C-alpha cells in the first residue's frame, strides 16, 4: 500500500525525479538562466523580467549583508504579496539566512511571539503593521524594520491613486528602528563582497506557522529541499504548465500554498506571477477579465466567490489551463458546480483538488489532469508515499478502510521550531526505513492509490458512540440545488454527547425561510443515516474565514457555545 501506482495516471512522467542538493535561490537562478527576458512577475501592470528580478535580489542581499545578517540568521517577513516580499525571501536565502514568515494582520502578541521564537533581529514589514511592531519592539531583539508600502512598486499613476485613497489613511509613526525599503537598497550599494552562500538541501529555508486551534501556532521549519522538491513535483504532477504561463497569485506568501506553489513553483518553471497584495471576492471577476490567467490556485472559498460573480456571465474563459483547489476540503458538489461553471464559460478544464499540510509545505496529492474519481483528492505526488494507519499507530489498514493519513517524501518538514517533543510525535521512522508524517487527518486509499480525505480527526463528532464525519454531511447538504456551501460542527448534547449542527449559505436568489429550512432538513433525512442527521440548521449570508481564506469552523464552534451560555 505504500508505493501507490500513481504513474499509471500520469502519462510519460518518470517514477523518480532528480532533486538538486542546492538552495532555493540557487535553484531559481539555475532555472532562470535561459529565461532572463521572460516576465517573472506582474504587479498592477508593472512587469519585471527574470533578469531584473535576479538583479533586485542581489541588491537586497547586499543590504542584508551590510546590516550584518549572516548564514543561519532568521529575518522576518511580515508582508502581503508584493515584489519586495518575494525579493526579500530569495535574498535572505541567497545569503544563507532563514525567512520567518508572518501574517501582517497578526496581533501584537502574535508578532512578538513570532519574532522572539525565531530570534529575528530584522524584519521586512508592510507599513500597516508597523504600529504593532513599534509597540512590541522593545520586548524583542529587533534592531531594524525595513518598511514597505504596497504602492512602492506600483506604476506611477497607481501610486497617485493609492495616496489619495488607502495611502492617506496609513499613519506611520517615527521610530529609531524604521528604515525605508529605498534606504535599505541604497545601504547595500556600499557592499563589495560575495553574497551567495550556496546552502544545501537540508538547510532551513523558511519558517511558516501552522494554524493552531489553541495557544500559539507552531513554527514549521521547511528546508531548501522541501521547497525545491515541491516545485519539481508540482510541475510534473500538473502536466500542463509551460514557461510564460500566467498564474494568479492570490494565496498569500506567508502561507505554504502561496509561497511554495504560487511563487516558488511558478518562478522555477518560468511562469509569470500576477502578484496581488489584497484579494476581494467582489472584484474577482474584474481580475480574471484584466489578466486572463492561465492558472488559478486557491482555496474552495475562492471558487465560492467565482460562482457568485455576476460580471462573468457569458464571458469566455478558454484561456484557463489549470484550476486548482487546496488548503481546505472541496465538497463533491461544489466541484460539480464549479466544473459546470467552467464548461459553460468555455474553459476545457476541471477543477483539480489538491491536499497537503504546511508540514509538507503544501500540496502532496492532486487530482490527475483529465481523470477524476468522485470524492477523491487525487493521487500522491511523484516520489511521495501515502499510507493509512489506525490513528496514532503504525498499524497499516486495508484498502478502503478509514484511518489516519501518513505522508513520506522529500517535501516533509524538518521539524517544529524549538519543539523536539512535538516533532517526535508527528515525525516517526517505521520499520520500512521511511520517516512518516502523521497528518491528523482521517482518510482512506483505494487499490489504485487514490486518496479519499474524510475529516480532521479533531473535527470528528462522536454522538451516542457513533462516529460522524462533518465533511460527509457537508457533501450531502451541498448537493441540494438551493445550497451554495455549508459547514457542519459538533455541538454539546445532554445525553448524546454531541450532535451535528449545520451552517448553510444559500445560492443567490434563494431566500432563507422556515420553509427552505424544512426542505433541506427533509433532504438530509432522506440522504443520511438517522444518527448523523443535523440537530440544528442555521442560515448565514457567508461563513467566517480564517486569515488564509479557509472556512473557520472553530469560530462557528465558539459562536454556538456563546449562544448556549
Amino acid at each position: 500500500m505504500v508505493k501507490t501506482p500513481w504513474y499509471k495516471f500520469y502519462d510519460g512522467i518518470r517514477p523518480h525525479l532528480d532533486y538538486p542538493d542546492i538552495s532555493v535561490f540557487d535553484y531559481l537562478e539555475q532555472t532562470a538562466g535561459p529565461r532572463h527576458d521572460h516576465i517573472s512577475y506582474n504587479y498592477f501592470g508593472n512587469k519585471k523580467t527574470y533578469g531584473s528580478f535576479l538583479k533586485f535580489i542581489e541588491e537586497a542581499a547586499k543590504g542584508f549583508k551590510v546590516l550584518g545578517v549572516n548564514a543561519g540568521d532568521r529575518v522576518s517577513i511580515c508582508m502581503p504579496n508584493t515584489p519586495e516580499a518575494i525579493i526579500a525571501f530569495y535574498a535572505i536565502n541567497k545569503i544563507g539566512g532563514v525567512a520567518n514568515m508572518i501574517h501582517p494582520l497578526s496581533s501584537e502578541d502574535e508578532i512578538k511571539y513570532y519574532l522572539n521564537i525565531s530570534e529575528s533581529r530584522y524584519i521586512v514589514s508592510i507599513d500597516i503593521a508597523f504600529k504593532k511592531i513599534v509597540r512590541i519592539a522593545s520586548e524583542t531583539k529587533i534592531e531594524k524594520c525595513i518598511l514597505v508600502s504596497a504602492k512602492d512598486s506600483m506604476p506611477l499613476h497607481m501610486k497617485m491613486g493609492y495616496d489619495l485613497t488607502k495611502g492617506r489613511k496609513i499613519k506611520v509613526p517615527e521610530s529609531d528602528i524604521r528604515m525605508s525599503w529605498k534606504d535599505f537598497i541604497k545601504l547595500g550599494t556600499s557592499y563589495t563582497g560575495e553574497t551567495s552562500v550556496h546552502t544545501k538541501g537540508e538547510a532551513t529555508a523558511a519558517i511558516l506557522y501552522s494554524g493552531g486551534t489553541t495557544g500559539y501556532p507552531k513554527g514549521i521549519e521547511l528546508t531548501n529541499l522541501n521547497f525545491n522538491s515541491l516545485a519539481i513535483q508540482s510541475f510534473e504532477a500538473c502536466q500542463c504548465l509551460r514557461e510564460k504561463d500566467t498564474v494568479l497569485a492570490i494565496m498569500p506568501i506567508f502561507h505554504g500554498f502561496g509561497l511554495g506553489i504560487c511563487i516558488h513553483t511558478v518562478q522555477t518553471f518560468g511562469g509569470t506571477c500576477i502578484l496581488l497584495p489584497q484579494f476581494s471576492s467582489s472584484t474577482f471577476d474584474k481580475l480574471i477579465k484584466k489578466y486572463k490567467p492561465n492558472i488559478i490556485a486557491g482555496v474552495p472559498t475562492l471558487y465560492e466567490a467565482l460562482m457568485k460573480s455576476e460580471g462573468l456571465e457569458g464571458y469566455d474563459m478558454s484561456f484557463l489551463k489549470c484550476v486548482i483547489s487546496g488548503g481546505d476540503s472541496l465538497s463533491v458538489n461544489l466541484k460539480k458546480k464549479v466544473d459546470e461553471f467552467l464548461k459553460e464559460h468555455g474553459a476545457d478544464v476541471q477543477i483539480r483538488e489538491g491536499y497537503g499540510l504546511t508540514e509538507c509545505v503544501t500540496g502532496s496529492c492532486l487530482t490527475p489532469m483529465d481523470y477524476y474519481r468522485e470524492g477523491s483528492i487525487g493521487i500522491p505526488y511523484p516520489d511521495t508515499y501515502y499510507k493509512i494507519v489506525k490513528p496514532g499507530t503504525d498499524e497499516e489498514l486495508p484498502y478502503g478502510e478509514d484511518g489516519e493519513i501518513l505522508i513520506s517524501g522529500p517535501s516533509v518538514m524538518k521539524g517544529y521550531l524549538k519543539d523536539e517533543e512535538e516533532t517526535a510525535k508527528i515525525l516517526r521512522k517505521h520499520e520500512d526505513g521511511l520517516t512518516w508524517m502523521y497528518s491528523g487527518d482521517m482518510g482512506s486509499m483505494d487499490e489504485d492509490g487514490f486518496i479519499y480525505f474524510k475529516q480532521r480527526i479533531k473535527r470528528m463528532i462522536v454522538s451516542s458512540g457513533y462516529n460522524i464525519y462533518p465533511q460527509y454531511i457537508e457533501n450531502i447538504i451541498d448537493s441540494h440545488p438551493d445550497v451554495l456551501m455549508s459547514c457542519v460542527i459538533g455541538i454539546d448534547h445532554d445525553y448524546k454527547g454531541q450532535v451535528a449542527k449545520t451552517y448553510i449559505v444559500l445560492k443567490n436568489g434563494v431566500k432563507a425561510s422556515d420553509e427552505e429550512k424544512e426542505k433541506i432538513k427533509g433532504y438530509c433525512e432522506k440522504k443520511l443515516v438517522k444518527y448523523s442527521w443535523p440537530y440544528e440548521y442555521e442560515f448565514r449570508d457567508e461563513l467566517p474565514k480564517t486569515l488564509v481564506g479557509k472556512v473557520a469552523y472553530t469560530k462557528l464552534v465558539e459562536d454556538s457555545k456563546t449562544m448556549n451560555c
Side-chain angles (χ1 to χ4, degrees):
M1 201 157 100
V2 174
K3 293 191 176 181
T4 57
W6 55 267
Y7 45 84
K8 292 195 329 189
F9 301 93
Y10 287 157
D11 184 37
I13 294 179
R14 295 169 292 161
H16 295 286
L17 305 174
D18 296 322
Y19 307 105
D21 187 21
I22 58 178
S23 72
V24 164
F25 171 78
D26 285 344
Y27 187 52
L28 169 70
E29 187 175 45
Q30 182 185 100
T31 54
R35 303 175 177 128
H36 267 235
D37 295 330
H38 294 187
I39 302 299
S40 164
Y41 63 82
N42 179 349
Y43 187 66
F44 295 103
N46 189 2
K47 302 176 182 179
K48 296 300 180 183
T49 64
Y50 277 89
S52 295
F53 184 38
L54 292 173
K55 177 176 173 290
F56 296 154
I57 293 169
E58 173 65 7
E59 290 174 348
K62 289 181 176 180
F64 284 124
K65 291 299 290 183
V66 173
L67 285 175
V69 179
N70 297 310
D73 287 351
R74 290 142 183 176
V75 179
S76 291
I77 299 177
C78 185
M79 293 286 298
N81 293 7
T82 72
E84 293 81 9
I86 61 173
I87 289 166
F89 170 70
Y90 284 108
I92 292 164
N93 187 265
K94 180 179 172 66
I95 63 175
V98 178
N100 184 54
M101 311 303 291
I102 299 175
H103 194 310
L105 297 183
S106 300
S107 68
E108 288 180 26
D109 284 347
E110 288 171 333
I111 293 174
K112 181 173 70 174
Y113 172 77
Y114 300 142
L115 293 176
N116 284 336
I117 194 172
S118 66
E119 300 180 27
S120 296
R121 293 185 295 129
Y122 302 100
I123 181 171
V124 179
S125 174
I126 193 73
D127 50 10
I128 60 171
F130 188 59
K131 282 184 181 179
K132 292 181 285 190
I133 294 169
V134 168
R135 285 195 283 261
I136 54 89
S138 63
E139 301 173 66
T140 72
K141 295 182 178 181
I142 286 297
E143 297 174 18
K144 286 292 178 185
C145 177
I146 302 159
L147 210 57
V148 179
S149 168
K151 73 174 183 178
D152 285 353
S153 290
M154 289 179 180
L156 182 59
H157 69 282
M158 289 202 70
K159 286 183 180 180
M160 295 173 64
Y162 184 87
D163 283 335
L164 293 171
T165 54
K166 295 179 181 178
R168 65 185 178 84
K169 300 176 185 178
I170 301 171
K171 306 299 180 183
V172 180
E174 291 295 330
S175 171
D176 291 341
I177 66 169
R178 173 179 162 185
M179 172 183 282
S180 71
W181 179 265
K182 183 178 179 181
D183 287 343
F184 165 67
I185 296 300
K186 185 178 179 181
L187 182 72
T189 59
S190 65
Y191 187 76
T192 57
E194 178 60 55
T195 55
S196 294
V197 172
H198 305 297
T199 54
K200 299 298 183 180
E202 64 182 10
T204 302
I207 300 167
L208 272 63
Y209 293 87
S210 65
T213 55
T214 58
Y216 285 107
K218 296 180 180 66
I220 298 169
E221 289 195 74
L222 299 169
T223 67
N224 290 315
L225 175 62
N226 293 157
F227 281 100
N228 290 338
S229 64
L230 174 76
I232 293 166
Q233 291 175 336
S234 297
F235 179 80
E236 294 288 345
C238 279
Q239 289 189 283
C240 60
L241 305 177
R242 300 292 181 270
E243 59 182 31
K244 296 186 179 181
D245 279 346
T246 55
V247 181
L248 203 57
I250 291 172
M251 295 304 294
I253 192 173
F254 46 81
H255 187 275
F257 196 176
L259 185 59
I261 297 292
C262 297
I263 301 299
H264 191 55
T265 298
V266 176
Q267 291 296 294
T268 53
F269 79 71
T272 299
C273 295
I274 300 167
L275 296 176
L276 299 167
Q278 187 176 20
F279 172 73
S280 170
S281 59
S282 63
T283 61
F284 190 29
D285 54 346
K286 295 181 179 65
L287 291 173
I288 289 176
K289 287 181 175 180
K290 180 177 181 178
Y291 294 109
K292 295 181 173 59
N294 304 122
I295 296 105
I296 301 175
V299 293
T301 51
L302 172 74
Y303 300 107
E304 174 196 354
L306 181 73
M307 302 292 290
K308 289 183 176 179
S309 297
E310 297 178 359
L312 293 174
E313 187 174 347
Y315 188 68
D316 180 14
M317 297 171 63
S318 57
F319 46 80
L320 283 173
K321 295 173 59 176
C322 189
V323 178
I324 295 175
S325 175
D328 202 357
S329 180
L330 177 73
S331 75
V332 171
N333 290 287
L334 182 56
K335 173 179 165 52
K336 288 179 179 177
K337 292 169 188 175
V338 175
D339 284 347
E340 184 179 343
F341 177 90
L342 293 170
K343 186 176 181 181
E344 289 173 352
H345 289 76
D348 187 25
V349 294
Q350 65 164 328
I351 186 170
R352 301 169 66 183
E353 186 170 8
Y355 166 82
L357 300 90
T358 310
E359 283 84 352
C360 58
V361 190
T362 180
S364 60
C365 186
L366 182 67
T367 304
M369 186 166 66
D370 297 315
Y371 188 88
Y372 172 65
R373 290 190 181 177
E374 187 169 296
S376 172
I377 53 175
I379 48 185
Y381 273 15
D383 301 328
T384 294
Y385 302 133
Y386 273 54
K387 67 178 173 182
I388 311 298
V389 302
K390 185 176 180 180
T393 75
D394 61 357
E395 181 184 335
E396 197 165 353
L397 297 174
Y399 292 119
E401 190 168 327
D402 290 346
E404 185 172 2
I405 298 172
L406 270 57
I407 305 170
S408 182
S411 68
V412 171
M413 69 172 183
K414 185 176 185 177
Y416 291 124
L417 181 64
K418 297 181 180 178
D419 199 336
E420 293 182 5
E421 185 177 343
E422 284 300 312
T423 299
K425 288 179 182 178
I426 197 170
L427 297 181
R428 307 184 202 173
K429 196 165 188 175
H430 287 189
E431 290 183 359
D432 56 19
L434 298 176
T435 296
W436 292 91
M437 181 184 74
Y438 284 68
S439 69
D441 289 343
M442 291 289 287
S444 63
M445 181 192 297
D446 68 21
E447 292 184 355
D448 289 320
F450 279 78
I451 309 300
Y452 298 80
F453 171 81
K454 298 298 169 66
Q455 196 61 66
R456 288 290 297 177
I457 290 174
K458 62 181 64 176
R459 268 194 82 194
M460 187 170 67
I461 301 167
V462 180
S463 183
S464 297
Y466 290 101
N467 292 340
I468 300 173
Y469 297 108
Q471 177 64 29
Y472 179 73
I473 302 175
E474 288 163 2
N475 284 341
I476 297 298
I477 296 172
D478 289 353
S479 69
H480 190 282
D482 294 345
V483 174
L484 181 62
M485 71 184 309
S486 63
C487 183
V488 174
I489 65 167
I491 59 173
D492 294 336
H493 191 274
D494 287 343
Y495 64 91
K496 292 187 176 182
Q498 277 198 319
V499 290
K501 175 176 180 176
T502 180
Y503 294 85
I504 298 169
V505 177
L506 296 171
K507 282 185 176 178
N508 286 341
V510 180
K511 294 184 178 180
S513 65
D514 289 340
E515 183 181 354
E516 185 65 37
K517 187 179 292 185
E518 286 303 312
K519 282 171 61 178
I520 297 171
K521 182 179 178 182
Y523 186 80
C524 288
E525 290 178 357
K526 287 180 181 178
K527 300 281 187 179
L528 294 167
V529 64
K530 188 172 183 178
Y531 68 77
S532 69
W533 288 356
Y535 195 77
E536 292 182 15
Y537 295 75
E538 182 175 326
F539 293 123
R540 291 281 183 100
D541 292 333
E542 60 182 10
L543 299 178
K545 310 295 193 302
T546 65
L547 293 176
V548 295
K550 298 181 183 181
V551 174
Y553 71 87
T554 53
K555 177 65 168 63
L556 295 174
V557 171
E558 291 171 7
D559 289 353
S560 69
K561 289 180 178 178
T562 301
M563 290 177 63
N564 292 328
C565 287

